[in-house]
Amino acid sequence: MLLVSADMGGGHNSTARALEETVERLWPGSECHRVDTLDVMGPGVGRLFRSIYVSNVERTPWLYEFFYASEWRHRWFAQASKRFTGSWAGRRLRTEIDRFEPDLVLSTYPLGSSGLAWLRRHRGLGVRTGCWVSDFAPHPFWIYPELDANFVVHETAVALARCAEPEVAVEVCAPPVVRAFAPGDQSEARRRMDLPADAFVVLLSCGAYSFGDADATVAALLGASDKICVVVACGRNEQTRGRLERLGLPRERLLPLGWTDQMPTLMRAADLLVTNAGGATALEGMASALPVVTTSPIAAHGVANANLMVVAGLTDLCPDLPMLQAYVRSLIEDRGPLRKLRDATSRHLERYDLESGLRALAAPRQPTLAGRQPDLAGRQPDLAGRQPDLAGRQPDLAGRPWPMRPADAFFAHVETGPYAQELGAVLELAPLPGGRAVTAAQIRRTMQARTGGLPPMRRVLVRRPLGWLLRDSVDAWSHVEEQRVEARTDDEDVSGAVSDFWSRTMPAGAPAWRGLLVSGQADGRSTFAVKLHHAQGDGISALGLLDRLLDPVPGDRLSERRPAARRRTARVDAGQILRGVGRLAGRGLAPRHPLNQTRPTGERDLVTVAVPWQRIRDLATACDAQPHEAILALVADALDRILRPAGLLTPGRPLRAMFPVATRPPKLDRISGNWTGALAVDLPTGPLDLAQRTARVRTGVRLHDRQGEVTASAMVMWAAGQLPRPLHRGFARATYNRNFFNTIVSYMPGARGPRTFAGADVRAVCPVLPLTSGVPLTVGVVGSGTVAGVGVLLDRGLGLDRGVVKDALRTSFMAATETPHGPSVAVGAAG
């Protein structure tokens, strides 16, 4: 969940904290990320807007009132203001949404809602989006018909919201405050706060900035009766707190506090809450069943909040201090008005909650084959039997796709002719308990349940203009097909079925993924292949998506499943980037091989093998190499065995492999598009033993890494993405081809613990990398637990037999432990 809030007073962030708490309670383990709209809008914007707000309320309230009233009186003025701020905030929020890729976006700040509405209207934002109004009375800047739902805190606010926007989707919820604000034992709360047990305790709170004349208000309250104890929450206003402390009154009469986290306890201890704004503090008082009285309300929204709360029967209004003093004096003798306010608040709290609105906003809608937006009405009744009606709230997104990030668009640009940019994985599944094989129905039910919470699985690729449409749901029955094979010939039949599956391009106009279950194998085994478009993300992202489709075994709690710690941005070394760019430019074109002259057929052969991870570790240890360096050497050995007998290598020339390298730490529970740089690694071919091959690969990889090639390639990709789209497309097609590399090899660390899918143990995960222009062979390796899965994708035009390829892979990878540990390593290193 992405929270769009702002540090403007305390109310917007208080509402955000309440929503975070509710989300975690509804969906344990969810990841919440909060952004400050004003900070996103640019350096210094937050400080400027806060100073303008404080200055208007304290020094020029007439100007603040004029602006507020103009929004209501002149619709054109409100719409123009919302368009301006929406464009400003929306363009900046788009980056945050791309980076986090949320399932839900919730706003608690008007300018944030304005930006989200602009993105929905102009950029096709398809993620479910809701706004929670943290004032009692909404105003035109709070309400947006483009959003799926706008939540207000009382029925009386619904009509006001619809006056601002007649077609808006409005729902009523409980006060959006954390659960700590709740009725409780008053005596215990007073004991904890060291307040007199028999006093009439008044809690005076004027918001985070302590607007208004707190000194005069305190004097009026203390003058009402000597039985009154006033607790003043001064917020961030240390000047006010200092003045009150200098009065020298005993704690039994006056307790001034600064910014405090004890407000829930103070509200349980108090008899009355006095405020002048009607914002978050008043909502917290409502949630605590504490009677609220408003006095001398601040201009504009403060007056509106006070008036509407009076209409709702949830506050009494004392326009000036003499009236407040008389009102409080009367309460000492007669508590009837307080009971009336408390009863009205309790009835409201019994009727509404926060959970039902969130459930309705996030609820998966029934899939429809025609891609219609189904009705959500009747899905989530609230505690009073109401049914939040979000049916039809999401506007038609046809023709308004969400723009792709340039790094993602790169892989849509290079997709021409038979070069489908589809990557994925092949899962080897063990039998279910009892020896039964997993069924297609079980696979489809699992996929149906998971895709609703995975936005990449609901995206539809749109070519003109290039971008994504987001479906509410996916029909897994139409996306997952099944093919049965004969048990006695299952190895070859499985390979053929999966190869044919990868030869078929995914249909347009549907979410960009497909799955195939190959069943009927001996001993209850099954194979499940799943692929998606490369524009969805790089290999790490694809593995992260796959990991969210799988289930960990009980007790497995990977660190990747926890929210990521905030990281400092690494300092860019300009010198290293320049060296890396120079190194890339100096590499020249890739070596020429018959491999890259093969005419593409559009048909694929896919070969997968699973080998013990320990074999790779043994080779790396023996040769003083990193695992990825050992894997590159093993792949080089296998490719030499495959291609040299077929006449697809030029003697004496290495194979140049593009080796993708993640430019951000892998975090397998978050999908974030393509974020990779690359190394151009020359794989040594010819009659070498594994030690020699590994030593040469190790030397080359470390040299390229020291020269900054990964950072430089990522920077070049970024710079190319800033070009106009036609130039970016031309750059992509001119560079991502046989002119600069002969093959693609990738290694990715997978889940460290065992996984299950649809109840079946996952024995191996074999990755599949797409081919590209003039590059008819790719190799991917994933290390998961104790197994390494290897996947080789070939164009059938190479004329290579799948069995020969599989034998060569097994020979190379299984021979790793036979590598000599002594002289061979020394000779290899010297060579």
Side-chain angles (χ1 to χ4, degrees):
M1 182 187 70
L2 180 67
L3 253 302
V4 180
S5 184
D7 183 14
M8 179 67 77
H12 305 292
N13 283 333
S14 295
T15 303
R17 283 193 294 272
L19 293 174
E20 289 171 345
E21 180 186 76
T22 306
V23 166
E24 180 60 33
R25 188 166 62 250
L26 284 174
W27 303 292
S30 296
E31 185 174 354
C32 298
H33 177 60
R34 193 190 310 177
V35 298
D36 189 301
T37 307
L38 299 177
D39 289 345
V40 168
M41 290 171 69
V45 173
R47 184 169 58 253
L48 174 63
F49 276 41
R50 283 188 288 272
S51 65
I52 291 173
Y53 173 63
V54 172
S55 177
N56 277 341
V57 172
E58 291 188 330
R59 299 182 181 86
T60 57
W62 60 268
L63 181 60
Y64 187 36
E65 184 66 50
F66 173 78
F67 178 80
Y68 186 86
S70 297
E71 289 183 322
W72 283 105
R73 292 173 182 161
H74 307 293
R75 183 172 174 80
W76 66 266
F77 177 74
Q79 295 299 318
S81 301
K82 291 161 80 169
R83 282 195 295 270
F84 172 73
T85 58
S87 174
W88 184 1
R91 295 175 193 276
R92 301 298 186 94
L93 285 172
R94 175 189 160 189
T95 302
E96 298 295 329
I97 293 171
D98 275 336
R99 182 177 295 132
F100 187 66
E101 205 164 51
D103 302 306
L104 285 177
V105 181
L106 310 180
S107 174
T108 66
Y109 183 58
L111 268 64
S113 301
S114 175
L116 296 172
W118 185 88
L119 287 173
R120 173 65 59 82
R121 189 166 57 247
H122 295 282
R123 295 293 186 269
L125 174 63
V127 181
R128 306 285 184 85
T129 306
C131 162
W132 267 257
V133 179
S134 53
D135 278 325
F136 195 88
H139 54 77
F141 238 108
W142 263 121
I143 303 300
Y144 294 88
E146 295 87 354
L147 305 186
D148 296 289
N150 295 259
F151 291 91
V152 296
V153 295
H154 200 270
E155 300 95 323
T156 56
V158 173
L160 197 62
R162 288 189 174 137
C163 285
E165 292 286 356
E167 302 301 322
V168 74
V170 187
E171 297 294 333
V172 182
C173 68
V177 300
V178 296
R179 297 188 83 182
F181 290 99
D185 188 322
Q186 186 180 75
S187 299
E188 173 61 20
R190 291 191 178 187
R191 186 192 65 77
R192 290 180 56 189
M193 299 304 300
D194 194 20
L195 295 172
D198 57 350
F200 185 85
V201 178
V202 178
L203 175 60
L204 173 62
S205 177
C206 301
Y209 300 113
S210 194
F211 289 136
D213 192 345
D215 306 60
T217 306
V218 168
L221 291 170
L222 292 175
S225 171
D226 58 5
K227 298 180 181 179
I228 291 178
C229 171
V230 181
V231 180
V232 186
C234 300
R236 299 188 178 97
N237 195 326
E238 287 299 317
Q239 293 84 359
T240 297
R241 180 187 178 186
R243 287 196 306 271
L244 294 175
E245 286 179 338
R246 286 193 291 272
L247 294 177
L249 294 176
R251 186 184 182 94
E252 292 77 15
R253 291 285 280 160
L254 177 63
L255 176 59
L257 300 172
W259 190 264
T260 176
D261 58 0
Q262 296 297 314
M263 287 298 287
T265 306
L266 288 170
M267 289 190 174
R268 283 193 288 272
D271 294 294
L272 179 68
L273 171 64
V274 176
T275 182
N276 64 357
T281 302
L283 301 184
E284 291 165 354
M286 288 174 56
S288 304
L290 175 64
V292 180
V293 171
T294 307
T295 185
S296 305
I298 63 175
H301 74 282
V303 173
N305 288 337
N307 289 337
L308 196 61
M309 289 182 72
V310 170
V311 172
L314 297 176
T315 191
D316 285 331
L317 175 62
C318 299
D320 53 39
L321 294 182
M323 185 173 290
L324 174 66
Q325 187 178 64
Y327 178 84
V328 173
R329 184 180 294 122
S330 71
L331 294 179
I332 302 295
E333 305 298 329
D334 178 15
R335 304 293 179 92
L338 295 185
R339 287 193 294 271
K340 182 180 177 181
L341 293 175
R342 186 179 291 111
D343 290 344
T345 301
S346 297
R347 287 193 298 271
H348 181 72
L349 294 177
E350 291 171 359
R351 187 176 181 188
Y352 295 102
D353 63 4
L354 282 180
E355 289 87 348
S356 59
L358 275 169
R359 285 196 194 100
L361 189 64
R365 299 171 185 174
Q366 290 294 336
T368 55
L369 296 180
R372 297 184 298 272
Q373 300 293 337
D375 191 356
L376 187 59
R379 285 304 189 87
Q380 297 291 338
D382 68 11
L383 299 181
R386 293 176 66 256
Q387 296 178 343
D389 181 15
L390 303 185
R393 300 303 190 192
Q394 190 174 24
D396 180 17
L397 301 181
R400 286 178 292 166
W402 180 257
M404 282 187 190
R405 294 174 54 253
D408 302 333
F410 182 93
F411 294 99
H413 292 325
V414 299
E415 187 174 57
T416 58
Y419 307 113
Q421 290 298 301
E422 298 170 358
L423 72 154
V426 177
L427 279 60
E428 296 182 9
L429 304 178
L432 296 171
R436 297 176 296 105
V438 66
T439 66
Q442 290 170 311
I443 295 284
R444 288 163 177 157
R445 281 195 295 268
T446 300
M447 296 296 288
Q448 188 71 56
R450 303 293 165 84
T451 53
L454 298 174
M457 305 293 281
R458 296 186 278 115
R459 287 174 169 177
V460 178
L461 177 61
V462 178
R463 294 289 179 178
R464 294 184 180 178
L466 187 60
W468 301 106
L469 295 182
L470 189 66
R471 291 275 178 85
D472 278 328
S473 59
V474 177
D475 178 21
W477 267 254
S478 65
H479 279 256
V480 176
E481 57 188 275
E482 180 183 16
Q483 185 167 335
R484 295 189 63 83
V485 297
E486 295 291 336
R488 54 188 173 81
T489 59
D490 60 7
D491 283 346
E492 178 57 28
D493 288 348
V494 169
S495 181
V498 175
S499 296
D500 291 342
F501 171 70
W502 235 274
S503 297
R504 299 192 299 272
T505 303
M506 291 184 289
W513 68 273
R514 280 294 186 273
L516 168 71
L517 173 66
V518 184
S519 58
Q521 300 174 54
D523 305 324
R525 294 177 290 109
S526 302
T527 299
F528 182 67
V530 60
K531 63 180 179 179
L532 68 157
H533 200 282
H534 203 336
Q536 298 273 35
D538 52 30
I540 291 292
S541 294
L543 277 183
L545 180 60
L546 178 63
D547 197 52
R548 296 175 73 186
L549 294 171
L550 307 180
D551 292 303
V553 297
D556 177 73
R557 177 77 174 175
L558 293 183
S559 59
E560 289 89 350
R561 293 180 178 272
R562 302 187 186 114
R566 187 176 294 274
R567 297 173 59 89
R568 292 184 177 181
T569 302
R571 188 176 67 177
V572 176
D573 187 338
Q576 186 183 45
I577 291 176
L578 290 175
R579 287 194 300 273
V581 171
R583 178 81 181 181
L584 290 175
R587 295 298 301 278
L589 300 178
R592 297 303 180 197
H593 290 279
L595 169 71
N596 306 110
Q597 308 303 317
T598 305
R599 185 172 182 176
T601 65
E603 296 182 336
R604 310 286 186 254
D605 276 322
L606 178 58
V607 179
T608 61
V609 298
V611 298
W613 176 251
Q614 190 61 41
R615 304 274 184 171
I616 298 170
R617 187 179 299 278
D618 289 344
L619 176 63
T621 301
C623 296
D624 191 25
Q626 295 295 321
H628 66 278
E629 296 165 346
I631 286 171
L632 283 168
L634 289 167
V635 169
D637 191 79
L639 292 181
D640 188 72
R641 295 175 188 274
I642 294 167
L643 301 177
R644 190 150 48 95
L648 295 173
L649 290 181
T650 300
R653 293 182 183 176
L655 271 173
R656 181 163 298 170
M658 187 186 73
F659 184 63
V661 179
T663 56
R664 49 90 173 97
K667 187 171 183 302
L668 300 182
D669 64 347
R670 194 70 260 150
I671 309 302
S672 50
N674 290 273
W675 296 87
T676 51
L679 291 175
V681 181
D682 285 342
L683 302 181
T685 60
L688 301 170
D689 64 29
L690 275 175
Q692 294 171 320
R693 221 181 288 274
T694 304
R696 293 188 183 184
V697 167
R698 181 189 60 197
T699 299
V701 167
R702 296 182 183 184
L703 174 62
H704 302 327
D705 191 44
R706 285 196 304 270
Q707 294 292 335
E709 283 190 29
V710 174
T711 306
S713 64
M715 187 63 67
V716 169
M717 287 283 287
W718 175 85
Q722 311 311 305
L723 298 172
R725 181 157 294 176
L727 295 180
H728 186 217
R729 183 188 305 115
F731 170 83
R733 293 178 180 177
T735 57
Y736 198 71
N737 56 40
R738 67 184 178 189
N739 292 327
F740 293 93
F741 49 90
N742 306 120
T743 185
I744 303 172
V745 180
S746 177
Y747 160 65
M748 294 159 284
R752 292 190 293 267
R755 293 289 186 268
T756 65
F757 180 61
D761 291 337
V762 178
R763 290 179 169 174
V765 176
C766 301
V768 185
L769 308 180
L771 310 180
T772 189
S773 178
V775 181
L777 184 152
T778 61
V779 184
V781 181
V782 165
S784 299
T786 61
V787 175
V790 185
V792 178
L793 189 64
L794 309 151
D795 192 298
R796 284 185 186 165
L798 293 174
L800 296 172
D801 182 83
R802 289 194 297 261
V804 171
V805 174
K806 180 167 288 193
D807 290 342
L809 289 171
R810 286 174 173 165
T811 299
S812 293
F813 276 82
M814 296 300 286
T817 52
E818 300 170 8
T819 303
H821 287 237
S824 293
V825 177
V827 171

